[in-house]
Amino acid sequence: MPQALFRIWRGERGQGQFRDYTVEVGEGMVVLDAIHQIQATQATDLACRWNCKAGKCGSCAAEVNGMPRLMCMTRLSDFPPGEPIIVEPMQTFPHVKDLVTDVSWNYEVKKRITPFRPRPPDAPDGTWRMSQEDVDRVQEFRKCIECFLCQDVCHVLREHHKHEEFIGPRFLVHTAALEMHPLDTADRIAALKREFHIGYCNITKCCTKVCPEQITITDNAIIPLKERVVDEFYDPVVKLIQLVFRP
Ligand code: SF4
Ligand code: F3S
Ligand code: FES
């Protein structure tokens, strides 16, 4: 049976080193299968997070050969034979153990974003009517599985550590889903500028490249939100109207 060499980060709280493991490679194997094989046969204490093994829970996010990826959706056949496959934890979040990081910062960020606030029902049966076009626009954003791979790759968080200020691409997608929702009445534009610092995003599009749900994060979520911020704060016509009609 063919074999593959895995080089896996082992350690706790940021301290550790890579260790090598040889894995028997079977047809159709993914990186998570190899991790499970190593756990079963060579390192029972190897920590990794996973749940669905179907690319839908977002738990198995890690870095494989330097790229943020879901381990359960990454086939061994994608890599050149004979070269080690390097698996590390995500770098943007605090390290816990081996391949596990603490992503709880993301849940705190989500709590700061004004939730969905629908307008009153407008149909005789007490429900709402929306055009299909408006529904389609936000549907893409709802595919997010909260793997946080986009947060991991974004240089604003990864290299500049702006976790206190910048909410990151995942939560710009979440905000876009709310702002573009045809029934929503809340206004998050001022918060996007002042509290969530959307201006830190310089449209590198790295987030879009790593999204396993193929959400067009930058073009469909971030850029339209940036345009709304510009319209609200910098549009000269809007500024003039505000000046003339300010009480
Ligand atoms: Fe993951 Fe994509 Fe959601 Fe980011 S937007 S958390 S990469 S599914
Ligand atoms: Fe970061 Fe994506 Fe913008 S990677 S800089 S949020 S385009
Ligand atoms: Fe659920 Fe990989 S185990 S996405």
Side-chain angles (χ1 to χ4, degrees):
M1 192 177 245
Q3 296 184 325
L5 179 65
F6 272 76
R7 191 157 285 161
I8 298 175
W9 180 260
R10 301 296 314 270
E12 286 187 44
R13 300 188 190 285
Q15 303 296 312
Q17 65 284 311
F18 284 104
R19 292 218 195 120
D20 287 355
Y21 302 91
T22 302
V23 168
E24 307 278 337
V25 177
E27 183 78 28
M29 260 176 79
V30 293
V31 170
L32 187 60
D33 291 323
I35 298 293
H36 286 161
Q37 191 187 116
I38 293 164
Q39 282 179 325
T41 59
Q42 302 173 62
T44 50
D45 61 341
L46 169 59
C48 89
R49 194 181 279 131
W50 70 283
N51 196 323
C52 68
K53 206 169 174 282
K56 288 296 160 211
C57 73
S59 312
C60 67
E63 298 188 9
V64 184
N65 283 2
M67 278 295 289
R69 306 188 70 151
L70 295 178
M71 290 192 286
C72 71
M73 300 304 285
T74 305
R75 290 196 182 275
L76 301 194
S77 55
D78 291 349
F79 301 102
E83 290 181 23
I85 297 171
I86 301 165
V87 189
E88 302 169 78
M90 289 192 285
Q91 304 294 302
T92 294
F93 309 113
H95 187 229
V96 179
K97 185 173 188 295
D98 302 334
L99 301 177
V100 177
T101 51
D102 176 3
V103 295
S104 56
W105 168 78
N106 292 284
Y107 305 121
E108 296 308 314
V109 170
K110 198 172 198 175
K111 288 183 203 161
R112 290 166 48 208
I113 298 168
T114 305
F116 181 53
R117 193 181 295 156
R119 60 175 154 78
D122 53 11
D125 62 357
T127 61
W128 294 268
R129 294 292 178 270
M130 297 177 272
S131 78
Q132 190 58 44
E133 196 179 88
D134 288 343
V135 173
D136 291 344
R137 192 179 312 125
V138 291
Q139 199 59 30
E140 174 189 18
F141 306 141
R142 298 183 65 85
K143 292 191 301 178
C144 176
I145 58 170
E146 297 208 320
C147 61
F148 306 127
L149 290 173
C150 57
Q151 305 284 75
D152 183 46
V153 82
C154 177
H155 70 102
V156 181
L157 299 170
R158 186 184 181 102
E159 278 145 40
H160 305 292
H161 312 290
K162 296 285 186 191
H163 295 66
E164 290 291 312
E165 297 150 83
F166 184 55
I167 59 174
R170 185 306 170 243
F171 295 105
L172 293 173
V173 167
H174 177 63
T175 306
L178 294 164
E179 279 296 304
M180 296 180 200
H181 195 292
L183 300 184
D184 184 69
T185 59
D187 184 350
R188 303 166 191 85
I189 300 303
L192 274 172
K193 175 174 156 50
R194 297 192 180 118
E195 291 171 48
F196 305 150
H197 297 274
I198 190 172
Y200 279 135
C201 165
N202 56 345
I203 320 211
T204 58
K205 302 198 181 186
C206 307
C207 49
T208 303
K209 283 188 203 121
V210 301
C211 179
E213 286 293 318
Q214 282 86 43
I215 301 170
T216 316
I217 301 173
T218 320
D219 287 355
N220 291 354
I222 298 178
I223 291 175
L225 289 180
K226 278 177 172 282
E227 287 169 352
R228 290 178 186 208
V229 169
V230 168
D231 286 350
E232 173 107 4
F233 287 93
Y234 306 110
D235 186 302
V237 177
V238 172
K239 280 266 160 238
L240 188 64
I241 292 169
Q242 282 171 347
L243 270 177
V244 171
F245 292 101
R246 183 171 290 158

